[in-house]
Amino acid sequence: MTDIDVLVLGAGAAGLMCAIEAGKRGLSVLVIDHAKRPAEKIRISGGGRCNFTNLHTTPANFLSQNPRFCVSALKRYTPQHFLKLVEAHRIPWHEKTLGQLFCDNAAMDIIHMLLREAEAAGVKLWMETSFTAVSKPDDRFSVATSRGALRTRALVVATGGPSIPKMGATGIGYEIAKQFGLAVVPPRPALVPLTFSDDNKILCTKLAGVSVDAVVSFGKTRFREGLLFTHRGLSGPSVLQISSYWREGQPITVDLLPQADVFAALKAGKTSHGKQDVRTALAGLLPKRLAEELSAAHGFGGRLADQPDKVLQKTGSAINSWQLLPAGTEGYRTAEVTLGGVDTTALSSRSMEANDVPGLHFIGEVVDVTGHLGGFNFQWAWASGHAAGQAVLG
Ligand SMILES: Cc1cc2nc3c(=O)[nH]c(=O)nc-3n(C[C@H](O)[C@H](O)[C@H](O)COP(=O)(O)OP(=O)(O)OC[C@H]3O[C@@H](n4cnc5c(N)ncnc54)[C@H](O)[C@@H]3O)c2cc1C
């Protein structure tokens, strides 16, 4: 029976950060993970370049039933702290857009950095190690693993969410939470493409590959970023962002040309280029394929001069405030994150420890804190991992 101070379940972003901080404090730390290699999600993140943080991180960039829960950890471990670590390891980086920081070379740079830090802090890492049962028979936790039984004074659950199951993602963290009496906010796929089953699916399929700058809204929430038509529906940053807010059975609104008032432009065209066809006018405003397919789908056409204002208004609305009813999402198969998770009301925002189970901590994506697209989810993983690593057994 191996006896340790801190056992971390999950060698992802949050688990490794926690292990490093706890190890630096002189605690004996073991990280176990059933995957072949650590931090696989870091490896594939940001298109292989890992959008490792966002300079403009604020609590407003996170969704949670308790929006204040993330404040303390984010305040104590900021994007600048992580950037300092990246620079100390001489990892070249750049700001892509909107405060999003990426590696110049590869996401592996971040993984190597974390593994070097973990080694320096004396952290042990067991990969390809599964665990079957967790219990707390006395003041310690017992964990049955494929490498034998472990006894630990503190247990940190950093197993992430079930997004991308083919990479080894599971919802085991929720099971552990429930076992110890903690509530779990129902998880759902987030930052995920939206799918359609009506005529819009046919339209999206025809337009697959076309992308535009768009404003996508759901209720009062709106994002202006890229939108991409796919064979199944809609994707691209603006759609992924809104997917975290969207709820089944409700429509989203898309402005395919936020920089222009299409009705006003067509009305002006009616006077200045009356002989011009509506489709030609639209092709001057939108990508040609998009203008053609929208015109075909909605039956737009004919000389501008012949169009009553009412018709032009309808045409403008179809482009500036296109209402669509998604049938669903692509699900966990492609979702970048999982919304919901361990209910924060049962956790300390300072240490991520369960209020009623001393020594049990939850960090990273398994917790009901989910970031917007743009490096915020890693910043939460670093900040929550850091908070737990600093406080565990303190
Ligand atoms: C394609 C993709 C791209 C992304 N890009 C970005 C990005 O650029 N920027 C950003 O901020 N966020 C990005 N994210 C989100 C980000 O990867 C996650 O939010 C982050 O990895 C969560 O960290 P974590 O440590 O909580 O969980 P994870 O990184 O998921 O780590 C959990 C670990 O637990 C292990 N585990 C799970 N179940 C078990 C089990 N039963 N037994 C043993 N081990 C287990 C897993 O193998 C894994 O190693 C992306 C996600 C995806 C899927």
Side-chain angles (χ1 to χ4, degrees):
M1 173 98 61
T2 309
D3 226 322
I4 43 185
D5 290 326
V6 183
L7 176 63
V8 180
L9 303 178
L16 289 174
M17 176 57 89
C18 173
I20 291 163
E21 289 308 310
K24 279 193 212 161
R25 291 173 47 227
L27 298 167
S28 63
V29 184
L30 171 63
V31 185
I32 66 171
D33 197 301
H34 64 173
K36 242 190 181 137
R37 289 172 301 208
E40 279 290 82
K41 279 198 183 162
I42 296 183
R43 184 177 61 80
I44 62 158
S45 67
R49 291 227 161 87
C50 184
N51 178 192
F52 55 81
T53 192
N54 191 303
L55 291 176
H56 309 311
T57 301
T58 72
N61 300 114
F62 297 86
L63 291 90
S64 170
Q65 278 201 352
N66 175 8
R68 301 294 301 160
F69 180 80
C70 61
V71 172
S72 167
L74 291 173
K75 212 184 250 178
R76 285 176 291 139
Y77 194 82
T78 65
Q80 293 301 337
H81 286 107
F82 192 76
L83 190 54
K84 217 169 142 194
L85 186 62
V86 166
E87 292 196 321
H89 284 258
R90 298 180 194 287
I91 295 173
W93 59 274
H94 61 278
E95 178 178 349
K96 198 169 169 189
T97 171
L98 308 167
Q100 301 170 5
L101 304 193
F102 284 76
C103 296
D104 284 356
N105 300 324
M108 284 309 291
D109 284 353
I110 298 292
I111 299 178
H112 290 145
M113 173 189 85
L114 294 169
L115 294 179
R116 275 200 298 271
E117 287 283 322
E119 196 182 353
V123 172
K124 283 207 186 82
L125 180 59
W126 292 359
M127 296 309 297
E128 296 185 272
T129 307
S130 53
F131 56 91
T132 46
V134 176
S135 61
K136 195 179 187 200
D138 43 47
D139 63 334
R140 287 173 190 231
F141 295 86
S142 291
V143 180
T145 80
S146 52
R147 293 216 206 175
L150 301 172
R151 296 256 301 154
T152 180
R153 292 170 62 207
L155 184 67
V156 181
V157 182
T159 44
S163 295
I164 322 264
K166 78 165 191 244
M167 298 199 69
T170 71
I172 189 82
Y174 310 144
E175 301 312 315
I176 299 173
K178 286 180 195 161
Q179 182 192 333
F180 285 95
L182 280 76
V184 172
V185 176
R188 51 184 288 135
L191 297 184
V192 62
L194 296 173
T195 58
F196 297 85
S197 56
D198 52 13
D199 287 351
N200 285 322
K201 174 162 187 215
I202 301 166
L203 182 64
C204 289
T205 306
K206 284 183 179 159
L207 287 167
V210 171
S211 65
V212 286
D213 171 39
V215 172
V216 182
S217 8
F218 179 72
K220 284 188 181 139
T221 309
R222 63 204 295 277
F223 291 95
R224 180 171 181 171
E225 286 182 68
L227 172 148
L228 174 71
F229 290 90
T230 74
H231 287 285
R232 290 191 193 84
L234 295 176
S235 187
S238 58
V239 173
L240 298 184
Q241 300 277 33
I242 215 70
S243 74
S244 299
Y245 292 85
W246 174 72
R247 289 297 173 268
E248 281 79 3
Q250 298 186 45
I252 58 167
T253 305
V254 176
D255 182 349
L256 291 166
L257 197 64
Q259 66 274 31
D261 178 336
V262 175
F263 169 55
L266 293 177
K267 212 175 157 201
K270 197 170 159 178
T271 321
S272 59
H273 304 82
K275 284 187 187 154
Q276 193 179 47
D277 193 280
V278 175
R279 285 168 295 198
T280 314
L282 291 178
L285 296 167
L286 294 164
K288 199 162 167 253
R289 245 174 92 199
L290 180 56
E292 278 169 6
E293 292 300 343
L294 281 176
S295 299
H298 295 289
F300 302 147
R303 287 177 358 141
L304 278 170
D306 299 338
Q307 311 292 318
D309 281 359
K310 242 187 175 170
V311 170
L312 293 184
Q313 201 153 23
K314 235 174 123 186
T315 309
S317 294
I319 292 158
N320 284 134
S321 53
W322 182 26
Q323 284 232 346
L324 312 89
L325 185 64
T329 73
E330 287 190 8
Y332 289 123
R333 191 179 59 81
T334 61
E336 281 200 15
V337 286
T338 304
L339 209 61
V342 178
D343 193 334
T344 58
T345 49
L347 302 177
S348 151
S349 61
R350 187 190 64 83
S351 61
M352 307 291 136
E353 189 175 20
N355 298 325
D356 296 333
V357 190
L360 180 63
H361 301 247
F362 291 86
I363 55 172
E365 199 179 315
V366 74
V367 178
D368 173 33
V369 174
T370 308
H372 287 166
L373 189 76
F376 303 104
N377 283 295
F378 279 134
Q379 188 55 36
W380 170 246
W382 315 135
S384 59
H386 187 268
Q390 294 263 307
V392 64
L393 298 177

